[in-house]
Amino acid sequence: MIMNHFLWLLPLVFPHLSSPVILLERSDGNLFHWNHLMKGDKLVLHRSKRDWMWRQFFLSEEYTGSNYQYVGKLRSDKDRGDGTARYVLSGEGAGTIFHIDEKSGDLHATQRLDREEKASYTLQAQALNKITGLPLEPATEFIVKIHDINDNEPKFTKAVYTASVPEMSDIGTFVIEVNATDADDATYGNSAKLVYSILQGQPYFSVEPETGIVRIALSNMDREVRKEYQVVIQAKDMAGQMGGLSGTTMVNVTLTDVNDSPPRFAYSSYHLSTYESAAIGSTVGRIKASDGDEGENAEMKYRIGDGDGKEYLDIITDEITQEGIIVVKKKLDFESKRVYTVKVEVTNTHQDPNFTLLGPFLDTAIVKVTAKDVDEPPVFSRPQYVFEVNEDTPKGIAIGTITAWDPDATHYPIQYAIDQHTDPERLYHIDPKNGSITILKSLDREVEMSKSRVPVLIKVLDVNDNAPEFAMIYETFVCENVRAGQLIQTISAIDTDDPLVGHKFVFSLSSMNPNFTIFDNEDNTARILTRRSGFNRREMSVYYLPVVISDSDYPIQSSTSTLTIRVCSCDATGNIRSCSVDALLLSAGLSTGALVAILLCILILLMIVVLFSALKKQRRKEPLIISKEDVRDNVVSYNDEGGGEEDTQAFDIGTLRHPEVIESNKLRRDIIPEMLFPYHRPSPMKECADVRDFIISRLQENDTDPFAPPYDSLATYAYEGNGSIAESLSSMESSVTEGDHEYDYLSNWGPQFKKLADMYIGKDTGVAN
């Protein structure tokens, strides 16, 4: 099977052969050799059949043309060109990626190929007789290799590298090695050949182009000047040539500390002061030197070199704060010396011999302590006085004199007095000004010798009978987004006991806790740490952590204190935003406005229920009027005499018929009006006493009833007139008492009753005539 169209005829002469041999080579590398026979002057060539040696096809990746990419041409020797041969392709990608023309044997790639996905394809080609379907020759296998192009940029194994190197390191000191890879073919061209370079970080650092090793490029890099550096490294393919693809990474370099900075005082001299009465060992003041190093390289120690105050002052080092504490070594005296001067030296505890050339790791400062005066008590001239006196010495005789002086610079006057506890019998007297002692009573040696006194001092010693407890009430919070091992609280303890060697507390948990742990700092404090990450307030908003605190005295005392830990919502930096229940509701989707609206709705519903209950209770009251035939007929009078009979107010007659609906024992709140009409005659008809008594009793009840009609309303009933100031206007009893009526008072009722007065007054006049 022929792979390409062109054949190259290469006539070669081989000297060792008896006759020349002609080799034919096609562009695909397949060779034919032709033997020849010499028949006279004619050269007869004979073709010798040999097996095919297939080369590989090569195809470029990422083809962007609009047509199918041409791969090559396959042709069989048995193809006579009459159209009876049919070419068939099988193997990887046959029919999908690769397509062969059945007639011509042209092979094309139908898809865009990527070498990084698949570098080669193995295919089989065969020529068949189109009519019989039989193979013209056995199938032949060949390989299509994908040629690489530079279509992948280098990628580093890490986006950010972290490295550290000691400060003051020499040039060329190893820092870190970065690595990048390129997906292109490293065996073909320079597509995967990488070169490293530094884009940011010069002149402090450099990188080796081939290995990616980062090294120190500048000497004497001081951490105290700059601690952290960001270095950007680039990896570029095509051996760094123009047009190559590149990738970058970041290297964060931190300079670690070495002891290259000596301690230094901020001032050359310090001035302190204390009272002359300061106790030995008491603190006068603190001074501190600064050291740019950190950790153990910054640890310092202080000592007093020389000075006139060296005998009176001392200095100790606070290992926690790295301060020098000036203390009183010997009692100060303002009167004898007012200023005490010492020279203080400070040095590093841990020194590095590699940096001793940078200078002396020692500094000095002058400390002056001024003693302040205090009002000191007088001082006797002798520690003890002994006076001898005979027992028969008369009263009032001086037996000796006491002298004392004031040590203060002001020299205040001194007054003398006898301690009455030492002279309970009042035998002696001392002059307050000159200190002379005289006898007040007769002395008897025999009586005095029979008495003796001795002071007794009782000192109560401490026993370890109190257990330590928390030094304060701690409010501990833990964030929902906390990480494992994060510090959330530092606790300490107190003990009311006073051991000789000082307190030493031990902190522990009463049992294993899955959420929190404790770390004893061995300085009477402990740290509370989280054992896990991620807390949820909805699952548990408060945790209780029992902490056991023990002392080191004998007998050992211990107590269990509970630490309350609340779960809170925090921001990304750890600041607490909210720990309340409202915050939980808000996180569930309820805003503050929604909560207020809900509460208002509940309040309105309660008010509606109360209102309906009150209305329902009021409706259950029995009405005053039961029958529709109840008559309301009121005569209302006003001070302005207006309205007359047309100005009426209704009054329910049911009040008389149903007195049980009226509440008793209540005082009326209205005002009794003045009487408008004079009383003219007594009530008629004694035979109606039962009705009159009934109305009088009802009238008394209404006078004390605050809900009864007012007094300016006149209620009329079946029997009228009794109890009414205007008497009855009815004619029911006119047949009995008509002759006894006098109607002159009707003229005083005003113009509204003028017609009525004319009728009755005129009638009486006519009768009289």
Side-chain angles (χ1 to χ4, degrees):
M1 184 173 288
I2 304 173
M3 294 179 57
N4 292 296
H5 296 291
F6 303 104
L7 297 176
W8 296 92
L9 184 60
L10 300 178
L12 302 177
V13 178
F14 296 89
H16 62 280
L17 297 177
S18 59
S19 60
V21 177
I22 298 177
L23 297 179
L24 300 179
E25 182 180 8
R26 295 187 303 221
S27 60
D28 60 0
N30 294 317
L31 300 177
F32 296 94
H33 71 272
W34 299 81
N35 296 328
H36 70 280
L37 296 174
M38 298 296 296
K39 293 184 177 180
D41 295 333
K42 295 182 180 180
L43 178 63
V44 181
L45 300 178
H46 297 277
R47 179 187 179 192
S48 298
K49 182 71 176 179
R50 63 176 295 183
D51 293 335
W52 294 101
M53 297 178 59
W54 291 78
R55 270 188 162 181
Q56 297 173 340
F57 286 106
F58 291 95
L59 189 64
S60 296
E61 66 172 334
E62 305 295 344
Y63 175 71
T64 58
S66 59
N67 299 324
Y68 290 160
Q69 188 176 5
Y70 181 74
V71 180
K73 187 178 184 66
L74 302 178
R75 184 172 179 81
S76 174
D77 293 340
K78 304 296 180 66
D79 186 359
R80 294 174 293 181
D82 56 359
T84 59
R86 181 170 68 91
Y87 294 93
V88 178
L89 186 69
S90 62
E92 296 178 332
T96 57
I97 299 177
F98 299 100
H99 173 74
I100 189 171
D101 191 311
E102 294 183 351
K103 296 180 180 180
S104 63
D106 291 333
L107 181 64
H108 292 83
T110 62
Q111 297 181 11
R112 185 177 178 179
L113 302 178
D114 187 357
R115 191 203 66 84
E116 285 70 38
E117 293 182 2
K118 188 172 180 60
S120 63
Y121 297 84
T122 302
L123 299 168
Q124 294 84 30
Q126 189 174 27
L128 303 177
N129 188 297
K130 185 184 296 184
I131 299 174
T132 63
L134 298 175
L136 299 179
E137 62 176 279
T140 304
E141 183 177 271
F142 62 95
I143 297 174
V144 178
K145 274 196 171 184
I146 309 301
H147 267 173
D148 183 46
I149 64 173
N150 190 21
D151 59 341
N152 292 278
E153 71 276 3
K155 292 184 179 180
F156 285 91
T157 56
K158 293 182 180 179
V160 178
Y161 290 84
T162 301
S164 61
V165 63
E167 62 175 332
M168 309 301 289
S169 295
D170 296 332
I171 296 177
T173 301
F174 175 84
V175 178
I176 194 174
E177 181 179 358
V178 297
N179 293 299
T181 58
D182 195 316
D184 292 325
D185 190 359
T187 63
Y188 180 76
N190 294 325
S191 298
K193 187 174 182 180
L194 305 182
V195 172
Y196 298 92
S197 62
I198 184 167
L199 300 182
Q200 176 183 320
Q202 296 173 331
Y204 309 103
F205 301 93
S206 63
V207 62
E208 294 182 358
E210 297 181 356
T211 62
I213 296 177
V214 180
R215 299 184 183 275
I216 294 291
L218 185 66
S219 61
N220 298 328
M221 296 176 63
D222 193 353
R223 187 198 65 86
E224 288 72 35
V225 176
R226 183 176 177 182
K227 182 179 180 180
E228 295 180 348
Y229 296 83
Q230 287 186 337
V231 183
V232 178
I233 304 297
Q234 180 191 66
K236 191 173 183 180
D237 58 16
M238 298 298 293
Q241 300 175 5
M242 184 178 298
L245 303 178
S246 63
T248 60
T249 187
M250 178 78 71
V251 181
N252 293 325
V253 182
T254 301
L255 297 183
T256 58
D257 185 55
V258 297
N259 193 6
D260 61 336
S261 298
R264 291 289 182 262
F265 284 109
Y267 306 98
S268 59
S269 63
Y270 294 84
H271 296 270
L272 306 174
S273 62
T274 187
Y275 289 100
E276 61 176 335
S277 60
I280 295 176
S282 61
T283 301
V284 177
R286 291 171 175 255
I287 61 174
K288 184 177 182 180
S290 60
D291 192 323
D293 297 322
E294 61 183 7
E296 68 174 12
N297 295 326
E299 294 180 1
M300 299 173 285
K301 60 181 179 181
Y302 300 84
R303 74 179 189 90
I304 291 182
D306 54 10
D308 56 13
K310 183 177 182 180
E311 182 182 353
Y312 298 89
L313 300 174
D314 197 3
I315 188 170
I316 58 178
T317 302
D318 189 333
E319 296 181 356
I320 298 177
T321 63
Q322 296 299 309
E323 292 177 315
I325 306 174
I326 306 295
V327 297
V328 176
K329 183 178 179 181
K330 185 178 179 181
K331 200 73 173 178
L332 306 181
D333 188 6
F334 173 82
E335 287 72 28
S336 61
K337 189 176 183 62
R338 300 191 178 184
V339 179
Y340 299 82
T341 304
V342 292
K343 184 178 181 181
V344 178
E345 298 178 354
V346 60
T347 59
N348 278 127
T349 305
H350 306 280
Q351 296 188 14
D352 191 340
N354 296 324
F355 301 99
T356 54
L357 297 178
L358 297 179
F361 282 74
L362 179 145
D363 198 16
T364 60
I366 301 299
V367 178
K368 296 182 178 181
V369 178
T370 302
K372 295 189 290 185
D373 188 27
V374 295
D375 188 9
E376 298 178 275
V379 178
F380 288 100
S381 57
R382 288 187 291 175
Q384 184 178 12
Y385 292 85
V386 177
F387 299 116
E388 295 181 352
V389 60
N390 296 327
E391 60 179 336
D392 57 352
T393 301
K395 295 184 294 182
I397 299 299
I399 61 175
T401 301
I402 302 297
T403 59
W405 56 278
D406 186 7
D408 295 324
T410 53
H411 297 292
Y412 290 108
I414 297 175
Q415 290 185 347
Y416 300 92
I418 295 178
D419 187 356
Q420 298 301 328
H421 294 88
T422 61
D423 185 22
E425 291 86 4
R426 304 295 189 270
L427 300 176
Y428 306 98
H429 170 72
I430 187 170
D431 189 285
K433 294 183 178 181
N434 58 26
S436 62
I437 300 176
T438 57
I439 299 175
L440 294 179
K441 297 180 181 179
S442 299
L443 303 178
D444 189 346
R445 177 180 174 279
E446 287 71 24
V447 174
E448 292 298 322
M449 291 297 293
S450 63
K451 300 177 182 179
S452 63
R453 296 181 180 88
V454 64
V456 178
L457 177 64
I458 300 176
K459 184 177 182 181
V460 180
L461 300 179
D462 183 53
V463 176
N464 188 29
D465 57 349
N466 293 281
E469 58 186 9
F470 279 157
M472 58 182 293
I473 299 176
Y474 293 98
E475 294 184 0
T476 306
F477 306 95
V478 62
C479 296
E480 289 183 309
N481 57 354
V482 71
R483 301 185 305 273
Q486 186 168 336
L487 173 66
I488 61 172
Q489 184 68 63
T490 301
I491 59 175
S492 60
I494 57 174
D495 194 335
T496 55
D497 294 323
D498 188 15
L500 297 177
V501 296
H503 291 293
K504 178 61 178 178
F505 301 130
V506 178
F507 298 86
S508 61
L509 296 181
S510 60
S511 61
M512 178 65 67
N513 191 288
N515 303 308
F516 306 98
T517 185
I518 190 171
F519 182 81
D520 195 336
N521 296 328
E522 298 183 356
D523 59 354
N524 292 338
T525 63
R527 290 176 288 172
I528 304 299
L529 307 174
T530 56
R531 186 180 290 273
R532 64 180 178 88
S533 60
F535 289 82
N536 194 329
R537 286 182 295 165
R538 293 188 181 90
E539 297 177 357
M540 182 72 71
S541 61
V542 178
Y543 291 87
Y544 299 98
L545 184 65
V547 178
V548 179
I549 310 175
S550 306
D551 56 23
S552 57
D553 206 355
Y554 180 82
I556 295 177
Q557 299 288 340
S558 63
S559 67
T560 301
S561 300
T562 301
L563 185 66
T564 303
I565 304 174
R566 300 178 61 188
V567 182
C568 300
S569 174
C570 304
D571 56 18
T573 59
N575 297 321
I576 296 176
R577 292 189 298 187
S578 177
C579 302
S580 62
V581 178
D582 293 340
L584 289 176
L585 295 178
L586 290 175
S587 63
L590 293 179
S591 62
T592 304
L595 293 176
V596 173
I598 293 173
L599 294 177
L600 287 177
C601 292
I602 295 174
L603 182 61
I604 292 173
L605 289 176
L606 290 176
M607 294 176 63
I608 292 174
V609 171
V610 172
L611 180 60
F612 273 101
S613 300
L615 292 176
K616 188 174 181 181
K617 182 178 181 181
Q618 185 175 1
R619 289 176 182 174
R620 283 200 294 266
K621 277 190 174 181
E622 187 174 358
L624 294 176
I625 299 177
I626 298 178
S627 175
K628 293 183 179 180
E629 285 75 16
D630 290 337
V631 180
R632 303 184 185 187
D633 190 7
N634 299 338
V635 177
V636 181
S637 60
Y638 299 90
N639 290 335
D640 59 0
E641 299 182 356
E645 295 178 349
E646 297 177 0
D647 191 2
T648 62
Q649 290 184 357
F651 177 74
D652 196 346
I653 196 172
T655 304
L656 294 175
R657 298 183 178 179
H658 300 282
E660 64 274 6
V661 301
I662 303 176
E663 296 183 10
S664 60
N665 300 327
K666 293 185 179 180
L667 298 179
R668 294 179 60 88
R669 295 184 294 243
D670 52 357
I671 301 174
I672 300 176
E674 297 179 357
M675 289 188 179
L676 300 177
F677 312 102
Y679 184 78
H680 293 282
R681 58 187 297 273
S683 301
M685 295 187 66
K686 295 182 179 180
E687 61 272 14
C688 297
D690 54 344
V691 178
R692 183 170 57 252
D693 293 340
F694 173 80
I695 295 177
I696 290 174
S697 64
R698 292 295 181 267
L699 178 62
Q700 292 176 353
E701 292 179 2
N702 282 273
D703 287 341
T704 59
D705 185 7
F707 300 102
Y711 280 102
D712 57 359
S713 177
L714 178 62
T716 59
Y717 305 99
Y719 172 77
E720 299 178 0
N722 189 12
S724 175
I725 299 176
E727 299 297 339
S728 176
L729 299 179
S730 176
S731 60
M732 293 175 62
E733 302 176 18
S734 60
S735 62
V736 182
T737 61
E738 184 177 357
D740 297 334
H741 280 299
E742 295 180 2
Y743 300 104
D744 295 335
Y745 61 88
L746 294 176
S747 60
N748 297 327
W749 282 17
Q752 293 87 351
F753 297 92
K754 183 177 183 302
K755 184 177 180 179
L756 185 62
D758 292 343
M759 291 174 60
Y760 281 89
I761 294 176
K763 181 180 178 181
D764 290 345
T765 305
V767 173
N769 292 335

